[in-house]
Amino acid sequence: MISIAIIDDEENNRLIIRNILKSRFPLISISVEEGEVQAAIEKINLQRPDLILLDIQLIKGSGFDVINGLEYEPKVVFTTAYSEFALQAIKVKAFDYLLKL
């Protein structure tokens, strides 16, 4: 089973992502849902999900702050409305970069 973290400052976006994942991939486990940077770092380091779906703009920081606070290197897919951070995402070895419309 693949464990996933959904990190987005908007609760409605987390709900949409969770529903899409659960309807298409019933065997996944969503181990972390969070919108605030420090809480996300703590929960991710504790749960150690395989994949993080990560927004750029978060409460009290950015998705890049989350990546910098991790104690391991999971796969990261940015899910964001900001195209201008794609190069920075590549530099932190993001697996993919999905634009929300």
Side-chain angles (χ1 to χ4, degrees):
M1 182 173 288
I2 294 175
S3 176
I4 296 176
I6 302 171
I7 311 300
D8 194 304
D9 63 324
E10 294 184 39
E11 187 173 347
N12 191 51
N13 287 345
R14 293 194 306 264
L15 176 65
I16 291 168
I17 293 168
R18 179 181 350 114
N19 288 340
I20 290 170
L21 290 172
K22 286 293 192 177
S23 70
R24 289 182 170 83
F25 308 101
L27 298 179
I28 66 162
S29 168
I30 298 173
S31 59
V32 177
E33 286 190 47
E34 187 56 61
E36 191 269 326
V37 169
Q38 191 56 44
I41 292 169
E42 292 170 8
K43 290 177 182 180
I44 291 168
N45 281 330
L46 179 65
Q47 295 293 324
R48 300 178 85 79
D50 303 304
L51 173 67
I52 301 173
L53 300 177
L54 184 60
D55 193 9
I56 296 287
Q57 298 295 330
L58 299 171
I59 300 168
K60 297 183 182 175
S62 74
F64 297 108
D65 296 325
V66 171
I67 290 173
N68 290 333
L70 297 181
E71 298 170 349
Y72 74 113
E73 292 187 27
K75 298 285 186 201
V76 175
V77 174
F78 279 95
T79 57
T80 184
Y82 300 96
S83 62
E84 62 268 23
F85 294 101
L87 183 58
Q88 191 174 353
I90 291 168
K91 290 180 181 180
V92 296
K93 302 177 186 172
F95 184 73
D96 207 343
Y97 194 90
L98 303 175
L99 285 176
K100 294 186 266 186
L101 300 178

